[in-house]
Amino acid sequence: MTLPFDYLSIIFILLAFIFLVVGVVGAFVPGLPGPPFAWAALLLTRFSAWNTMPLFWLIVMAVVAIVVTVLDYICPSMMTKNGGGSKAATTGCTVGIVVGVLMGGVGILIFPFIGALIGELVNTGNQWGPSLKAATFAFLGFLLGTGLKLLFAFGCIALVIASFFW
């Protein structure tokens, strides 16, 4: 089977690849909406002349993207609240994420916890027990949100690849 040489399809696929990368990076970087970018990659791929992705998957993944994005905003604060923490722990965790991204490597896993701990220590007046518990729950909320976004981004990558073989 020969494929048509279509410049617009090449542009769509290249943009989709960039959007998928941004979707994965957006799983870690606060303020960068990873799931919408990953879903936009599916949409761009769908418009390629070489792709036969069913519309069903595009709609399902749009709903999942919305759910994941909403959960990403709810989970960290809900988990922090369940751990007895305050907004200071959530804010500290977010600052730790930014620092961790800038530091790279393992920093993305260490600094959110440290930031949440510092935030909660400042809020509670250096009470280590409650602060450690709150920081742990804030960190678990971060991991849950990040995990959901990563899972969605990798699901989009798998769908993009699979859609060229349907």
Side-chain angles (χ1 to χ4, degrees):
M1 171 172 115
T2 61
L3 297 174
F5 193 73
D6 182 8
Y7 289 110
L8 194 55
S9 290
I10 292 171
I11 291 170
F12 284 155
I13 291 169
L14 288 175
L15 282 173
F17 175 76
I18 292 168
F19 279 28
L20 286 171
V21 170
V22 172
V24 171
V25 171
F28 296 101
V29 178
L32 186 61
F37 272 101
W39 182 82
L42 291 176
L43 183 64
L44 286 167
T45 305
R46 174 94 160 82
F47 289 121
S48 160
W50 307 317
N51 190 288
T52 57
M53 180 187 307
L55 183 61
F56 169 80
W57 284 110
L58 201 60
I59 293 168
V60 166
M61 293 305 277
V63 171
V64 173
I66 291 167
V67 169
V68 167
T69 302
V70 168
L71 284 176
D72 183 47
Y73 286 106
I74 294 172
C75 286
S77 60
M78 202 168 69
M79 291 289 289
T80 303
K81 188 181 254 185
N82 285 341
S86 66
K87 183 142 176 78
T90 304
T91 303
C93 188
T94 303
V95 171
I97 293 167
V98 172
V99 171
V101 167
L102 294 175
M103 300 299 276
V106 181
I108 192 68
L109 292 176
I110 295 171
F111 285 105
F113 177 78
I114 292 172
L117 180 61
I118 291 170
E120 196 60 27
L121 280 171
V122 168
N123 187 58
T124 62
N126 291 334
Q127 293 180 352
W128 280 90
S131 296
L132 278 171
K133 182 180 177 186
T136 301
F137 275 78
F139 182 67
L140 290 174
F142 157 72
L143 287 179
L144 181 61
T146 301
L148 288 172
K149 290 186 293 186
L150 269 176
L151 191 63
F152 180 78
F154 287 135
C156 286
I157 291 170
L159 269 175
V160 165
I161 292 169
S163 68
F164 286 100
F165 299 102
W166 280 329

